[in-house]
Amino acid sequence: MNLSPAARAVFVELLVHGPLSRAEVARRLELSPSVLTKLTRPLLKEGFLVEEPGPAGVPGRPSVPLRVEPARRAYAGVKLTDSELFAVRTDLGGAVTAEVRLPLEGHEVGRVVGRIAEAVALLPGDEPPAAVGVSLAGPVSRADALVRHSPFLGWREVPLAGLVTAATGLPAVLENDVRALTAAVHWFGAAAGRGTFALVTIGEGLGCGIVVDDRLVVGTAGVSGQIGHLAIDDRGPICERGHRGCARAYLASPSIRRTARAALDRPSLTFEQALDLARRGDPVARRIFDEAGLALGRIVATIANLIGPEVVVLSGEAVHMHEVCEAAFEAALGEHTHWTSQPVEVRVQPFAFTEWARGAAVVALRHDLGVD
């Protein structure tokens, strides 16, 4: 979409906060009624904005709510793992309208690009998506559209955005998977409308996405939010990189599984089985998850002390462990949050794996709108 900065601000305000009356939009963005009318007229004409009937008995055009028409445009999002890809089609409002899951069948770049193009083509819809977002773990730079390093795929310096564009005929944009999920949570999830917040993901690894003053923190060369090896206890367990007592050693699901197997002498124990044991009161499993909760509370407190977020959102494929270790988490959060700070609001966002792909689609949407 080719929007001026002022028109973009109006559109994003209605996208994230709408429906809103013209008077409310003008107040929020400090615009005069005449300027707002000039900015919204083409968006209404092209069908990106529509009017909704206002409350009964309230006269006057300024009170008629405006909202974004979600069906006006679609986006595709693709999340790559080491063995498969998840693809979704979303509307302008970030709602998933279709999804596809395909095995990768190898890590050769051309083959993966072909699978991405196949997945996008399989997503049903009346019109092609306006853009494709692709997310994956590791340092990714949107600025130069490179996958700098992907440990899961064994890639270095791969110009994936250009390759996807060539294969699909659509504009493509890359993003780190946690930052992509953060973008979706920022506009359409548990932190919608919050200007400063952090997302912490728990699963095979740990991730952190940060938004400050409505801007997604990217960092140099696409590296930011690296919390996995923050020190928790130098007498703690060792992670697979050899760090003793780091956050990953306590919190990542493979680490919890490894610790539980050794402590309970059950070599085939899964993460979910260990979690179930903790739910049922097994003292060893309970101790393992309480220690995970203490580590998570300390991490969230550290983030809160650094950026002063309005909310911290917990998500990821293992976030349901929070129900078991919540008491330990709250205790550590209270202990390590700076004494002058207000208690940080924490929200747990239920997770489905397609959320990663939805985040990539939201990155495509933001790219289409010209939002950093």
Side-chain angles (χ1 to χ4, degrees), residues 239-333:
C239 79
E240 73 282 3
R241 301 289 295 182
H243 303 134
R244 181 174 291 281
C246 68
R248 185 180 176 91
Y250 281 103
L251 266 171
S253 52
S255 299
I256 290 175
R257 183 173 60 242
R258 186 166 55 248
T259 300
R261 285 175 175 177
L264 294 165
D265 193 22
R266 293 178 57 177
S268 61
L269 192 73
T270 67
F271 172 83
E272 292 297 338
Q273 288 170 339
L275 185 59
D276 188 56
L277 286 173
R279 284 194 189 100
R280 290 189 279 129
D282 180 273
V284 175
R286 186 80 203 192
R287 174 71 178 272
I288 292 168
F289 281 95
D290 280 347
E291 290 184 348
L294 292 171
L296 182 60
R298 187 165 184 166
I299 290 166
V300 171
T302 299
I303 295 168
N305 294 338
L306 285 172
I307 69 169
E310 298 169 64
V311 63
V312 174
V313 178
L314 305 180
S315 191
E317 59 266 31
V319 73
H320 55 296
M321 79 164 73
H322 179 265
E323 66 187 65
V324 171
C325 63
E326 182 176 5
F329 167 77
E330 294 290 347
L333 178 62

Coordinates of all heavy atoms in Angstrom, one line a residue, residues 239-333:
C239 N 23.9 -26.5 30.1 CA 23.1 -26.6 28.9 C 24.0 -27.2 27.8 O 25.2 -27.5 28.0 CB 22.7 -25.2 28.4 SG 24.0 -24.2 27.6
E240 N 23.4 -27.4 26.6 CA 24.1 -28.2 25.5 C 25.3 -27.4 25.0 O 26.1 -27.9 24.3 CB 23.2 -28.6 24.4 CG 22.7 -27.4 23.5 CD 21.6 -26.6 24.1 OE1 21.2 -26.8 25.3 OE2 21.1 -25.7 23.5
R241 N 25.4 -26.1 25.3 CA 26.5 -25.2 24.9 C 27.6 -25.1 25.9 O 28.6 -24.5 25.8 CB 26.0 -23.8 24.5 CG 25.0 -23.7 23.4 CD 25.5 -24.1 22.1 NE 26.5 -23.1 21.6 CZ 27.1 -23.1 20.5 NH1 26.9 -24.1 19.6 NH2 28.0 -22.2 20.1
G242 N 27.4 -25.8 27.1 CA 28.4 -25.9 28.1 C 28.3 -24.8 29.2 O 29.2 -24.7 30.0
H243 N 27.2 -24.0 29.1 CA 27.0 -23.0 30.1 C 26.3 -23.6 31.4 O 25.3 -24.2 31.3 CB 26.1 -21.8 29.6 CG 26.7 -21.2 28.3 ND1 25.9 -20.9 27.2 CD2 28.0 -20.8 28.0 CE1 26.7 -20.4 26.3 NE2 27.9 -20.3 26.8
R244 N 26.9 -23.3 32.5 CA 26.3 -23.8 33.7 C 25.3 -22.8 34.3 O 25.5 -21.7 34.5 CB 27.4 -24.1 34.8 CG 26.8 -24.7 36.1 CD 27.9 -25.1 37.1 NE 28.7 -26.2 36.6 CZ 28.2 -27.5 36.7 NH1 27.0 -27.8 37.2 NH2 29.0 -28.5 36.3
G245 N 24.1 -23.4 34.6 CA 23.1 -22.6 35.3 C 22.5 -21.5 34.5 O 22.0 -20.5 35.1
C246 N 22.5 -21.6 33.2 CA 21.9 -20.5 32.3 C 20.4 -20.7 32.2 O 19.8 -21.8 32.6 CB 22.5 -20.4 31.0 SG 22.2 -21.8 29.9
A247 N 19.7 -19.7 31.7 CA 18.2 -19.8 31.5 C 17.8 -21.0 30.7 O 16.8 -21.7 31.1 CB 17.7 -18.5 30.9
R248 N 18.5 -21.3 29.6 CA 18.1 -22.4 28.8 C 18.3 -23.7 29.5 O 17.5 -24.7 29.3 CB 19.0 -22.4 27.6 CG 18.7 -23.5 26.5 CD 19.6 -23.4 25.3 NE 19.3 -24.5 24.4 CZ 18.4 -24.4 23.4 NH1 17.8 -23.3 23.2 NH2 18.1 -25.5 22.6
A249 N 19.3 -23.9 30.4 CA 19.5 -25.1 31.1 C 18.3 -25.4 32.1 O 18.1 -26.6 32.4 CB 20.8 -25.0 31.9
Y250 N 17.6 -24.4 32.5 CA 16.5 -24.6 33.4 C 15.2 -24.6 32.7 O 14.2 -25.3 33.2 CB 16.4 -23.4 34.4 CG 17.4 -23.5 35.6 CD1 18.5 -22.7 35.6 CD2 17.1 -24.3 36.6 CE1 19.4 -22.7 36.6 CE2 18.0 -24.4 37.7 CZ 19.2 -23.6 37.7 OH 20.1 -23.6 38.7
L251 N 15.0 -23.9 31.6 CA 13.7 -23.7 31.0 C 13.4 -24.3 29.7 O 12.2 -24.6 29.4 CB 13.5 -22.1 30.9 CG 12.9 -21.4 32.0 CD1 13.0 -19.9 31.8 CD2 11.4 -21.8 32.1
A252 N 14.3 -24.5 28.8 CA 14.0 -25.1 27.5 C 13.5 -26.5 27.7 O 14.0 -27.3 28.6 CB 15.3 -25.1 26.6
S253 N 12.5 -26.9 26.9 CA 11.9 -28.2 27.1 C 12.9 -29.4 27.0 O 12.8 -30.3 27.7 CB 10.7 -28.4 26.2 OG 11.0 -28.1 24.8
P254 N 13.9 -29.3 26.0 CA 14.9 -30.4 26.0 C 15.7 -30.5 27.3 O 16.0 -31.6 27.7 CB 15.8 -30.1 24.8 CG 15.0 -29.2 24.0 CD 14.1 -28.4 24.9
S255 N 16.0 -29.4 27.9 CA 16.8 -29.4 29.2 C 15.9 -29.9 30.3 O 16.4 -30.7 31.1 CB 17.2 -27.9 29.5 OG 18.0 -27.4 28.5
I256 N 14.7 -29.6 30.4 CA 13.8 -30.1 31.4 C 13.6 -31.6 31.2 O 13.7 -32.4 32.2 CB 12.4 -29.4 31.3 CG1 12.6 -28.0 31.8 CG2 11.4 -30.2 32.2 CD1 11.3 -27.1 31.7
R257 N 13.5 -32.0 30.0 CA 13.4 -33.5 29.7 C 14.6 -34.2 30.1 O 14.5 -35.3 30.8 CB 13.1 -33.7 28.2 CG 12.9 -35.1 27.8 CD 12.5 -35.2 26.3 NE 13.5 -34.6 25.4 CZ 13.3 -33.6 24.6 NH1 12.1 -32.9 24.6 NH2 14.3 -33.1 23.8
R258 N 15.8 -33.7 29.8 CA 17.0 -34.3 30.1 C 17.2 -34.4 31.6 O 17.6 -35.4 32.2 CB 18.2 -33.5 29.5 CG 19.5 -34.1 29.6 CD 20.5 -33.5 28.7 NE 20.6 -32.0 28.9 CZ 20.2 -31.2 27.9 NH1 19.7 -31.6 26.8 NH2 20.3 -29.9 28.1
T259 N 16.9 -33.3 32.3 CA 17.0 -33.3 33.8 C 16.1 -34.3 34.4 O 16.5 -35.0 35.4 CB 16.8 -31.9 34.3 OG1 17.7 -31.0 33.8 CG2 16.9 -31.9 35.9
A260 N 14.8 -34.3 34.0 CA 13.9 -35.3 34.5 C 14.2 -36.7 34.3 O 14.1 -37.6 35.2 CB 12.5 -34.9 34.0
R261 N 14.7 -37.0 33.1 CA 15.1 -38.4 32.8 C 16.2 -38.8 33.8 O 16.2 -40.0 34.3 CB 15.6 -38.5 31.4 CG 14.5 -38.5 30.3 CD 15.1 -38.4 28.9 NE 14.0 -38.5 27.9 CZ 14.2 -38.5 26.6 NH1 15.5 -38.3 26.1 NH2 13.2 -38.6 25.8
A262 N 17.2 -38.0 34.0 CA 18.3 -38.3 34.9 C 17.9 -38.4 36.3 O 18.2 -39.4 37.0 CB 19.5 -37.3 34.7
A263 N 17.1 -37.5 36.8 CA 16.7 -37.4 38.2 C 15.7 -38.6 38.5 O 15.8 -39.1 39.6 CB 16.0 -36.1 38.5
L264 N 14.9 -39.0 37.6 CA 13.9 -40.0 37.8 C 14.3 -41.4 37.3 O 13.6 -42.4 37.5 CB 12.5 -39.6 37.2 CG 11.9 -38.4 37.8 CD1 10.8 -37.9 36.9 CD2 11.3 -38.8 39.2
D265 N 15.5 -41.4 36.7 CA 16.0 -42.7 36.1 C 15.0 -43.3 35.1 O 14.7 -44.5 35.2 CB 16.4 -43.7 37.2 CG 17.2 -44.8 36.7 OD1 17.9 -44.7 35.6 OD2 17.3 -45.9 37.3
R266 N 14.5 -42.4 34.3 CA 13.5 -42.9 33.2 C 14.0 -42.4 31.9 O 13.6 -41.3 31.5 CB 12.1 -42.4 33.6 CG 11.6 -43.0 34.8 CD 10.2 -42.5 35.2 NE 9.2 -42.7 34.1 CZ 7.9 -42.3 34.2 NH1 7.5 -41.8 35.4 NH2 7.1 -42.5 33.2
P267 N 14.8 -43.1 31.2 CA 15.5 -42.7 30.0 C 14.5 -42.3 28.8 O 15.0 -41.5 27.9 CB 16.4 -43.8 29.6 CG 16.6 -44.6 30.8 CD 15.3 -44.5 31.6
S268 N 13.3 -42.8 28.8 CA 12.4 -42.5 27.7 C 11.4 -41.4 28.1 O 10.4 -41.2 27.3 CB 11.7 -43.8 27.2 OG 10.9 -44.3 28.3
L269 N 11.5 -40.8 29.2 CA 10.5 -39.8 29.7 C 10.4 -38.7 28.8 O 11.4 -38.1 28.3 CB 10.9 -39.4 31.1 CG 9.8 -38.6 31.9 CD1 8.7 -39.5 32.3 CD2 10.4 -37.9 33.1
T270 N 9.2 -38.2 28.4 CA 9.0 -37.1 27.5 C 8.8 -35.8 28.4 O 8.5 -35.9 29.6 CB 7.8 -37.2 26.6 OG1 6.6 -37.3 27.4 CG2 7.9 -38.5 25.8
F271 N 8.9 -34.7 27.8 CA 8.6 -33.4 28.5 C 7.1 -33.4 29.0 O 6.9 -33.1 30.2 CB 8.8 -32.2 27.6 CG 8.3 -30.9 28.1 CD1 9.1 -30.2 29.0 CD2 7.0 -30.4 27.8 CE1 8.7 -29.0 29.5 CE2 6.6 -29.2 28.3 CZ 7.4 -28.5 29.2
E272 N 6.2 -33.8 28.2 CA 4.8 -33.8 28.6 C 4.6 -34.8 29.8 O 3.8 -34.6 30.7 CB 3.9 -34.2 27.5 CG 3.8 -33.1 26.4 CD 3.3 -31.8 26.9 OE1 2.6 -31.8 27.9 OE2 3.6 -30.7 26.3
Q273 N 5.2 -36.0 29.8 CA 5.1 -36.9 30.9 C 5.7 -36.3 32.2 O 5.1 -36.5 33.2 CB 5.8 -38.2 30.5 CG 5.1 -39.0 29.4 CD 5.9 -40.2 28.9 OE1 7.1 -40.2 29.0 NE2 5.2 -41.2 28.3
A274 N 6.8 -35.7 32.0 CA 7.4 -35.0 33.2 C 6.5 -34.0 33.8 O 6.3 -33.8 35.0 CB 8.8 -34.4 32.9
L275 N 5.9 -33.2 32.9 CA 4.9 -32.1 33.3 C 3.7 -32.8 34.0 O 3.2 -32.2 35.0 CB 4.5 -31.3 32.1 CG 3.6 -30.1 32.4 CD1 4.3 -29.1 33.3 CD2 3.2 -29.4 31.1
D276 N 3.2 -33.9 33.5 CA 2.1 -34.6 34.1 C 2.4 -35.1 35.5 O 1.6 -35.0 36.4 CB 1.6 -35.7 33.2 CG 0.3 -36.3 33.7 OD1 -0.7 -35.6 33.9 OD2 0.3 -37.5 33.9
L277 N 3.6 -35.6 35.6 CA 4.1 -36.0 37.0 C 4.1 -34.9 37.9 O 3.7 -35.0 39.1 CB 5.5 -36.6 36.9 CG 5.6 -38.0 36.2 CD1 7.1 -38.4 36.1 CD2 4.9 -39.1 37.1
A278 N 4.6 -33.7 37.5 CA 4.6 -32.5 38.4 C 3.2 -32.1 38.8 O 2.9 -31.8 39.9 CB 5.3 -31.4 37.7
R279 N 2.2 -32.2 37.8 CA 0.8 -31.9 38.1 C 0.3 -32.8 39.2 O -0.5 -32.4 40.0 CB 0.0 -32.0 36.8 CG 0.1 -30.9 35.8 CD -1.0 -31.0 34.8 NE -0.8 -30.1 33.6 CZ -0.3 -30.5 32.5 NH1 0.0 -31.8 32.3 NH2 -0.2 -29.6 31.5
R280 N 0.7 -34.0 39.1 CA 0.2 -35.0 40.1 C 0.9 -35.1 41.4 O 0.6 -35.9 42.2 CB 0.1 -36.4 39.4 CG -0.9 -36.5 38.3 CD -1.1 -37.9 37.8 NE -0.1 -38.3 36.8 CZ 0.7 -39.4 36.9 NH1 0.5 -40.2 37.9 NH2 1.6 -39.7 36.0
G281 N 1.9 -34.1 41.5 CA 2.5 -34.0 42.8 C 3.8 -34.8 43.0 O 4.3 -34.8 44.2
D282 N 4.4 -35.4 42.0 CA 5.6 -36.1 42.1 C 6.7 -35.1 42.6 O 6.9 -34.1 42.0 CB 6.1 -36.7 40.8 CG 7.4 -37.4 40.9 OD1 8.5 -36.8 40.8 OD2 7.4 -38.6 41.1
P283 N 7.3 -35.3 43.7 CA 8.2 -34.3 44.3 C 9.4 -34.0 43.5 O 9.9 -32.8 43.4 CB 8.6 -35.0 45.7 CG 8.4 -36.4 45.5 CD 7.2 -36.6 44.6
V284 N 10.0 -35.0 42.7 CA 11.1 -34.7 41.9 C 10.7 -33.8 40.7 O 11.4 -32.8 40.4 CB 11.8 -36.0 41.5 CG1 13.0 -35.7 40.5 CG2 12.3 -36.8 42.7
A285 N 9.7 -34.3 40.0 CA 9.2 -33.5 38.9 C 8.8 -32.1 39.3 O 9.0 -31.1 38.6 CB 8.1 -34.2 38.2
R286 N 8.1 -32.0 40.4 CA 7.7 -30.7 40.9 C 8.9 -29.8 41.2 O 8.8 -28.6 40.8 CB 6.9 -31.0 42.2 CG 6.2 -29.7 42.8 CD 4.9 -29.5 42.0 NE 4.6 -28.0 42.1 CZ 3.4 -27.6 41.8 NH1 2.5 -28.4 41.3 NH2 3.1 -26.3 41.9
R287 N 9.9 -30.3 41.7 CA 11.1 -29.5 42.0 C 11.7 -29.0 40.7 O 12.1 -27.8 40.6 CB 12.1 -30.4 42.8 CG 13.5 -29.7 43.0 CD 13.4 -28.6 44.0 NE 14.7 -28.0 44.3 CZ 15.6 -28.5 45.2 NH1 15.3 -29.5 45.9 NH2 16.8 -27.9 45.3
I288 N 11.8 -29.9 39.7 CA 12.3 -29.4 38.4 C 11.5 -28.3 37.8 O 12.1 -27.3 37.3 CB 12.4 -30.6 37.4 CG1 13.4 -31.7 37.9 CG2 12.7 -30.2 36.0 CD1 13.3 -33.0 37.2
F289 N 10.2 -28.4 37.8 CA 9.4 -27.3 37.3 C 9.3 -26.1 38.1 O 9.2 -25.0 37.6 CB 8.0 -27.8 36.9 CG 7.9 -28.6 35.7 CD1 8.0 -30.0 35.7 CD2 7.8 -28.0 34.4 CE1 8.0 -30.7 34.5 CE2 7.8 -28.7 33.3 CZ 7.9 -30.1 33.3
D290 N 9.5 -26.3 39.5 CA 9.6 -25.1 40.3 C 10.8 -24.3 40.0 O 10.8 -23.1 40.0 CB 9.5 -25.5 41.8 CG 8.1 -25.8 42.3 OD1 7.1 -25.4 41.6 OD2 7.9 -26.3 43.4
E291 N 11.9 -25.0 39.8 CA 13.2 -24.3 39.4 C 13.1 -23.6 38.1 O 13.6 -22.5 37.9 CB 14.3 -25.3 39.4 CG 14.7 -25.8 40.8 CD 15.9 -26.7 40.9 OE1 16.3 -27.2 39.8 OE2 16.4 -27.0 42.0
A292 N 12.3 -24.2 37.2 CA 12.1 -23.6 35.9 C 11.3 -22.3 36.1 O 11.5 -21.3 35.5 CB 11.3 -24.5 35.0
G293 N 10.3 -22.4 37.0 CA 9.5 -21.2 37.3 C 10.3 -20.1 37.9 O 10.1 -18.9 37.6
L294 N 11.2 -20.5 38.8 CA 12.0 -19.5 39.5 C 12.9 -18.8 38.4 O 13.1 -17.6 38.4 CB 12.9 -20.1 40.5 CG 12.2 -20.6 41.8 CD1 13.1 -21.5 42.7 CD2 11.6 -19.4 42.6
A295 N 13.5 -19.6 37.5 CA 14.3 -19.0 36.4 C 13.5 -18.1 35.5 O 13.9 -17.0 35.2 CB 14.9 -20.1 35.6
L296 N 12.3 -18.5 35.2 CA 11.4 -17.6 34.3 C 11.1 -16.3 35.0 O 11.1 -15.3 34.4 CB 10.2 -18.4 34.0 CG 9.2 -17.7 33.0 CD1 9.8 -17.3 31.7 CD2 7.9 -18.6 32.8
G297 N 10.7 -16.4 36.3 CA 10.4 -15.2 37.1 C 11.6 -14.2 37.1 O 11.4 -13.0 37.0
R298 N 12.8 -14.8 37.3 CA 14.0 -13.9 37.3 C 14.2 -13.2 35.9 O 14.6 -12.1 35.8 CB 15.2 -14.7 37.7 CG 16.4 -13.9 37.9 CD 17.5 -14.8 38.7 NE 18.6 -14.0 39.0 CZ 19.6 -14.4 39.8 NH1 19.4 -15.5 40.5 NH2 20.6 -13.6 40.1
I299 N 14.0 -14.0 34.8 CA 14.2 -13.4 33.5 C 13.2 -12.3 33.3 O 13.5 -11.2 32.8 CB 14.0 -14.6 32.5 CG1 15.2 -15.5 32.5 CG2 13.9 -14.0 31.0 CD1 14.9 -16.8 31.8
V300 N 11.9 -12.6 33.6 CA 10.9 -11.6 33.3 C 11.1 -10.3 34.2 O 11.0 -9.2 33.7 CB 9.5 -12.1 33.6 CG1 8.4 -11.0 33.6 CG2 9.1 -13.2 32.6
A301 N 11.6 -10.5 35.4 CA 11.9 -9.3 36.2 C 13.1 -8.5 35.6 O 13.1 -7.3 35.6 CB 12.3 -9.8 37.7
T302 N 14.1 -9.2 35.1 CA 15.2 -8.6 34.5 C 14.7 -7.7 33.3 O 15.1 -6.6 33.1 CB 16.3 -9.6 34.0 OG1 16.7 -10.3 35.2 CG2 17.4 -8.9 33.3
I303 N 13.9 -8.3 32.4 CA 13.4 -7.6 31.3 C 12.6 -6.4 31.8 O 12.7 -5.3 31.2 CB 12.5 -8.5 30.4 CG1 13.4 -9.6 29.8 CG2 11.8 -7.7 29.3 CD1 12.6 -10.7 29.2
A304 N 11.7 -6.6 32.8 CA 10.9 -5.5 33.3 C 11.8 -4.4 33.9 O 11.5 -3.2 33.7 CB 10.0 -6.0 34.4
N305 N 12.8 -4.7 34.5 CA 13.7 -3.7 35.1 C 14.4 -2.9 34.0 O 14.7 -1.7 34.2 CB 14.7 -4.3 36.0 CG 14.1 -5.0 37.3 OD1 13.0 -4.6 37.7 ND2 14.8 -5.9 37.9
L306 N 14.7 -3.5 32.9 CA 15.4 -2.9 31.8 C 14.5 -2.0 30.9 O 15.0 -0.9 30.6 CB 16.1 -3.9 30.9 CG 17.3 -4.7 31.4 CD1 17.7 -5.8 30.5 CD2 18.5 -3.7 31.6
I307 N 13.3 -2.4 30.6 CA 12.5 -1.6 29.6 C 11.2 -1.0 30.2 O 10.6 -0.3 29.5 CB 12.2 -2.4 28.4 CG1 11.2 -3.6 28.7 CG2 13.5 -3.0 27.7 CD1 10.7 -4.2 27.4
G308 N 10.8 -1.4 31.4 CA 9.6 -0.9 32.0 C 8.4 -1.2 31.1 O 7.7 -0.2 30.8
P309 N 8.1 -2.4 30.8 CA 7.0 -2.8 29.9 C 5.6 -2.6 30.5 O 5.5 -2.7 31.8 CB 7.2 -4.2 29.6 CG 7.9 -4.8 30.8 CD 8.8 -3.7 31.3
E310 N 4.7 -2.3 29.7 CA 3.3 -2.2 30.2 C 2.8 -3.6 30.5 O 1.9 -3.8 31.3 CB 2.4 -1.6 29.1 CG 2.8 -0.1 28.8 CD 2.0 0.4 27.6 OE1 0.8 0.5 27.6 OE2 2.7 0.7 26.6
V311 N 3.3 -4.6 29.7 CA 2.9 -6.0 29.9 C 4.0 -6.9 29.4 O 4.7 -6.5 28.5 CB 1.5 -6.3 29.2 CG1 1.7 -6.1 27.7 CG2 1.0 -7.7 29.5
V312 N 4.2 -8.1 30.0 CA 5.0 -9.1 29.5 C 4.1 -10.3 29.1 O 3.3 -10.8 29.9 CB 6.1 -9.5 30.5 CG1 6.9 -10.7 29.9 CG2 7.1 -8.4 30.8
V313 N 4.3 -10.8 27.9 CA 3.4 -11.9 27.4 C 4.3 -13.1 27.3 O 5.4 -13.1 26.8 CB 2.9 -11.6 26.0 CG1 2.1 -12.8 25.5 CG2 2.0 -10.3 26.0
L314 N 3.8 -14.2 27.9 CA 4.5 -15.5 27.8 C 3.8 -16.4 26.8 O 2.5 -16.5 26.8 CB 4.4 -16.2 29.2 CG 4.9 -15.5 30.4 CD1 4.8 -16.3 31.6 CD2 6.4 -15.0 30.2
S315 N 4.5 -17.0 25.9 CA 4.0 -17.8 24.9 C 5.0 -18.9 24.5 O 6.0 -19.1 25.2 CB 3.6 -17.0 23.6 OG 2.8 -17.7 22.7
G316 N 4.7 -19.6 23.4 CA 5.6 -20.7 23.0 C 4.9 -22.0 23.2 O 4.0 -22.2 24.0
E317 N 5.5 -23.1 22.6 CA 4.9 -24.4 22.6 C 4.9 -25.1 24.0 O 4.2 -26.0 24.2 CB 5.5 -25.3 21.6 CG 7.0 -25.5 21.7 CD 7.8 -24.6 20.8 OE1 7.4 -23.4 20.6 OE2 8.9 -25.0 20.4
A318 N 5.8 -24.6 24.9 CA 5.8 -25.1 26.3 C 5.3 -24.2 27.3 O 5.5 -24.4 28.5 CB 7.3 -25.5 26.6
V319 N 4.6 -23.1 26.9 CA 4.1 -22.1 27.9 C 3.1 -22.7 28.9 O 2.9 -22.2 30.0 CB 3.5 -20.9 27.1 CG1 2.1 -21.2 26.5 CG2 3.4 -19.7 28.1
H320 N 2.5 -23.8 28.5 CA 1.5 -24.4 29.4 C 2.1 -24.9 30.7 O 1.4 -25.2 31.7 CB 0.7 -25.5 28.8 CG 1.5 -26.6 28.1 ND1 2.4 -26.4 27.1 CD2 1.6 -27.9 28.4 CE1 3.0 -27.5 26.8 NE2 2.6 -28.5 27.6
M321 N 3.5 -25.0 30.8 CA 4.1 -25.4 32.0 C 3.9 -24.3 33.1 O 4.0 -24.6 34.3 CB 5.6 -25.5 31.8 CG 6.4 -24.3 31.7 SD 8.2 -24.4 32.0 CE 8.7 -25.2 30.4
H322 N 3.5 -23.1 32.7 CA 3.3 -22.0 33.6 C 2.3 -22.4 34.7 O 2.3 -22.0 35.8 CB 2.9 -20.7 32.9 CG 2.6 -19.6 33.8 ND1 1.4 -19.2 34.2 CD2 3.4 -18.6 34.3 CE1 1.4 -18.2 35.0 NE2 2.7 -17.8 35.0
E323 N 1.3 -23.2 34.3 CA 0.2 -23.5 35.2 C 0.7 -24.4 36.4 O 0.2 -24.3 37.5 CB -0.9 -24.3 34.5 CG -0.5 -25.7 34.0 CD -1.5 -26.4 33.2 OE1 -1.8 -25.9 32.1 OE2 -2.0 -27.4 33.6
V324 N 1.8 -25.1 36.2 CA 2.4 -25.9 37.2 C 3.4 -25.1 38.1 O 3.5 -25.3 39.3 CB 3.1 -27.1 36.6 CG1 4.0 -27.9 37.6 CG2 2.1 -28.0 35.9
C325 N 4.1 -24.2 37.5 CA 5.2 -23.5 38.2 C 4.8 -22.0 38.5 O 5.7 -21.2 38.8 CB 6.5 -23.6 37.4 SG 6.5 -22.8 35.8
E326 N 3.5 -21.7 38.4 CA 3.1 -20.3 38.6 C 3.5 -19.7 39.9 O 4.0 -18.6 40.0 CB 1.6 -20.2 38.4 CG 1.1 -18.8 38.5 CD -0.4 -18.6 38.2 OE1 -1.1 -19.7 38.0 OE2 -0.9 -17.5 38.2
A327 N 3.4 -20.5 41.0 CA 3.7 -19.9 42.3 C 5.2 -19.6 42.4 O 5.6 -18.5 42.9 CB 3.3 -20.9 43.4
A328 N 6.1 -20.5 41.9 CA 7.5 -20.2 41.9 C 7.8 -19.0 41.1 O 8.7 -18.2 41.4 CB 8.3 -21.5 41.5
F329 N 7.2 -18.9 39.9 CA 7.4 -17.8 39.0 C 7.0 -16.5 39.7 O 7.8 -15.5 39.6 CB 6.5 -18.0 37.7 CG 6.4 -16.8 36.9 CD1 7.5 -16.4 36.0 CD2 5.3 -16.0 36.9 CE1 7.4 -15.3 35.2 CE2 5.1 -14.9 36.1 CZ 6.2 -14.5 35.3
E330 N 5.9 -16.4 40.3 CA 5.4 -15.2 40.9 C 6.4 -14.8 42.1 O 6.7 -13.6 42.3 CB 4.0 -15.3 41.4 CG 3.0 -15.5 40.4 CD 2.7 -14.2 39.6 OE1 3.2 -13.1 40.0 OE2 2.1 -14.3 38.5
A331 N 6.9 -15.8 42.8 CA 7.8 -15.5 43.9 C 9.1 -14.9 43.4 O 9.6 -13.9 43.9 CB 8.1 -16.8 44.7
A332 N 9.6 -15.5 42.3 CA 10.9 -14.9 41.8 C 10.7 -13.6 41.1 O 11.5 -12.7 41.2 CB 11.5 -15.9 40.8
L333 N 9.6 -13.4 40.5 CA 9.2 -12.1 39.8 C 9.2 -11.0 40.8 O 9.8 -9.9 40.7 CB 7.9 -12.2 39.0 CG 7.4 -11.0 38.3 CD1 8.4 -10.5 37.3 CD2 6.1 -11.2 37.7

